[in-house]
Amino acid sequence: MLRIKNLQAKVAGKEILRGIDLSVNVGEVHAIMGPNGSGKSTLAQVLAGRDLYEVTGGEVTYDGQNLLALSPEDRARAGIFMAFQYPVEIPGVSNMYFLRSALNAIRRNRGLEELDAIDFLALAREKMKGLEVEEGLMVRPVNEGFSGGEKKRNEIFQMSILEPRLAILDETDSGLDIDALKIVANGVNALRSPERAIIVVTHYQRLLNYIVPDFVHVLSGGRIVKSGGKELALELEHRGYGWLEDAVAAGQSA
Amino acid sequence: MTAVKEQQDAYFSTFQARERFLSDPSWLGEIRRAAMERFAELGFPTTRQEEWRFTNVAPIARVPFELAQAPKDGAPLAKLRELPMADLGCDRLVFVNGRFSPELTRLGDSSQGVKVCNLSEALAAGTPSIEEHLARHARFDDHAFIALNTAFVQDGAYVEIPRGLVLEKPIYLLHVTAANGRPGVTHPRNLVIAGPESQATIIEGYVALDDGAYFTNAVSEVVVGDNAVTHYCRLQNESEQAFHFGALNVRLGRDANATTYSLGLGAALARQEVAVTLDGEGSECQLNGLYVVSGRQHIDNYTTLDHAQPHTASREFYKGVLDEKSSGVFHGRIIVRPGAQKTDAKQSNKNLLLSDDATINTKPQLEIYADDVKCTHGATIGQIDPEAVFYLRSRAIGKDEARRMLTYAFANDIIGRIKYEPLASRLGDAVFARLGIGPGKQEPQ
Ligand SMILES: Nc1ncnc2c1ncn2[C@@H]1O[C@H](COP(=O)(O)OP(=O)(O)OP(=O)(O)O)[C@@H](O)[C@H]1O
Ligand SMILES: [Mg+2]
């Protein structure tokens, strides 16, 4: 479904991604871990199409087509969803209006009929239940004045409404208490299916107890320096990243 | 400069020629002459004057505007029906090219109990409150455009709301111009007297029937009686070639409460002044403003809040959206008179520039002569937040649609304050039209 080959990207003239290789097949859940500043968000943003990040080399295909040639909206319409590490506040635009516009843009693309306000609200209510999102949130401006936890839950709420084929969650678990974490994990697990794939970026092994990954990758210095199964996350939990970085440095000098 | 001088002289000769045919009461004749003399002394303002620094009115001063002629029969009626702004579902008093149009006027239930007519009719009937108020609130001694309007007062609306009356629906004072290829000038003059403890909404609108050049030089005086609540919406949507000067002068009595909306969308060159005198203890006002311009339009908002009595409060919220090569000015003057203790004034002006070529000059001017007061002001100039655009696009919303949503959200902060829904929704449509982004427009890409 997603093939990333030797992807390199720069931001503000600085090289951040230095050759990423990653393949994600339908039905799989991949976790990406790694120290602060290693480029995890950069990768997520590049996949979502943020033009602040300049792709300087490599390629990315999604369902066989060149993903990097698509606009962010076309990627979203093709089923890609990225939950932001820092969701953006949008004053003056209600969550309801925003989400309905988003859903209808996707539905139009799929040749489906648009949902009117009433049908949309019914759908939203149903999705809210499991996520313990309050209905009042729908009339509030997007993310404005939301607590950190509310913002993260709102990302998952959006995801559950938009039903993406490839979801990329950038630290959606950071800063959540255990109850909120379970809610988020339930939302993600509800989406898990043989037709979909999920990439979770996280610092904490804890999340992976609830969203059990098929693969774990360690991103460091703009490269994937180690990949493994879910046990790798536990090992990282105990040993940190230092040993990996040392190993990479040793490998490079050798 | 000489062309300007010639035009000033032309106004003077027109005045003299016209004066002989007027059947004014003597008090009005005196005011007219005084105003004409004052205009001759002042001349049109120049950018050397601080209040006009960013607005060059030479294009107005240079054109030989004659008094606008009445348009040919029939044409306005049909065209007016097509203008969404013309019908707001409430009683309306209509003026075409400065003349009262009984055919287009519709006064029914919603203005029951209110004295609503055209000013010249009220004058002919010898209405005493006109002499008491006309030219008392909009002072012409230091203002050329107001002086010119006063010298040429022809017609406009006269509204008198009796004590204690609560009006459910607004009264719409609609000024229509059909330029018909002739650069004419109109000097609309409106007088609204809201009796003590009354409650009403007045909408004053300026629209065009064609895209010709003309000059509207309008002055309105609004007197809000003790403990009265008045909403006054002033909407300027003139043709793109028009010049518009508009002054709204409001005087507040004791415990009176006024909310004004100054909405500017049209005209090549517009200056919209709102001046409120908080002349009664405990009076309050809220000034809202929204200007949305594009192309090469220029719009100047000049506001004056005169806190003349203690315990008065003012809130001012002006927002501007400027696209393409348009330019704008916000000048917010707050005066706190000696003895006007416990004045509480807050001013805010926010601007959204949609293009690199658009410009805005924003300036507060505080003149505080009392010591126990609270006065704050703030201004911002920004562009559409690229983070927000990306967030929306990452949720499948097209780029243009994302910009449209964010722009509308910015403007809607003011539109949403308008309580009368038909006006709010039509204003919303007009904002979209001005920015060339239809509300339902879908992005193919
Ligand atoms: N807009 C930007 N301008 C300049 N530098 C940036 C920008 N965005 C990211 N960077 C830099 O790129 C590097 C990688 O950042 P990125 O956000 O991808 O890291 P991360 O792995 O997501 O870190 P974290 O775990 O803290 O979220 C960092 O050094 C960061 O400072
Ligand atoms: Mg990050």
Side-chain angles (χ1 to χ4, degrees), chain A residues 45 48-50 71-74 76-77 81-82 84 88 90-93 97-98 102 105-106 108 114 143 155 158, chain B residues 385-401 404-406 409-410 412 439 442-445:
Chain A
Q45 298 264 339
R50 179 79 162 109
S71 68
E73 54 270 35
D74 281 342
R77 289 165 193 170
F81 179 94
M82 194 256 301
F84 284 60
V88 182
I90 309 198
V93 178
Y97 180 72
F98 159 65
I106 290 173
R108 273 200 302 279
E114 295 186 24
N143 294 327
E155 295 290 290
Q158 292 173 28
Chain B
D385 177 9
E387 302 264 346
V389 172
F390 177 65
Y391 190 72
L392 295 173
R393 294 179 76 188
S394 80
R395 299 296 181 253
I397 295 165
K399 187 179 177 188
D400 290 352
E401 172 75 1
R404 184 192 75 82
M405 271 167 90
L406 296 170
F410 179 87
N412 196 42
Q442 237 105 124
E443 220 224 328
Q445 191 249 98

Side-chain angles (χ1 to χ4, degrees), chain B residues 307 334 336 343-347 366 368 373-377:
Chain B
H307 291 263
I334 299 175
V336 181
T343 285
D344 178 3
K346 270 205 186 91
Q347 179 189 90
L366 308 186
I368 301 174
V373 303
K374 267 197 287 194
C375 266
T376 61
H377 61 86

